[in-house]
Amino acid sequence: TFVPIPGGATVTVRGDYELPDTMLARMADRLGLERSIARDIDRANEAFRRLCEAVAEDWSVEAAMFGEPRPQ
C-alpha cells in the first residue's frame, strides 16, 4: 500500500513464505534463512526508494540504482 505523507509516501509491503515441512527446511530456517530473506527485502526496499527518488527528481535511474550521488 502507498500512503502519502509530507514530502513523500510510506510504502507497506506484506509477504509470506512457506517452507516444506521437512527436517531440512526447519534446519535451514533456524540457520538463518529468515534473516537472509529479510536482508533481500531490505535491499529491494532500498532499490525501490532510490528508483522513486530518481523519478521524482528527474535523476538518472541507472545512477540511482547503482548508488551514484545525486547531482547538486
Side-chain angles (χ1 to χ4, degrees):
T1 59
F2 296 85
V3 178
I5 61 171
T10 296
V11 179
T12 303
V13 178
R14 290 183 179 239
D16 195 10
Y17 72 95
E18 286 187 33
L19 293 173
D21 191 23
T22 65
M23 178 69 104
L24 181 61
R26 287 191 297 272
M27 286 174 38
D29 198 33
R30 286 195 182 107
L31 292 174
L33 184 60
E34 192 167 303
R35 280 188 306 252
S36 176
I37 291 170
R39 279 191 305 270
D40 288 346
I41 291 169
D42 288 343
R43 283 188 210 113
N45 288 342
E46 176 62 18
F48 182 65
R49 182 189 65 78
R50 287 178 170 275
L51 177 63
C52 291
E53 287 178 353
V55 170
E57 297 176 9
D58 197 29
W59 179 32
S60 162
V61 171
E62 291 81 10
M65 298 305 293
F66 292 104
E68 296 176 22
R70 279 187 212 123
Q72 297 301 332

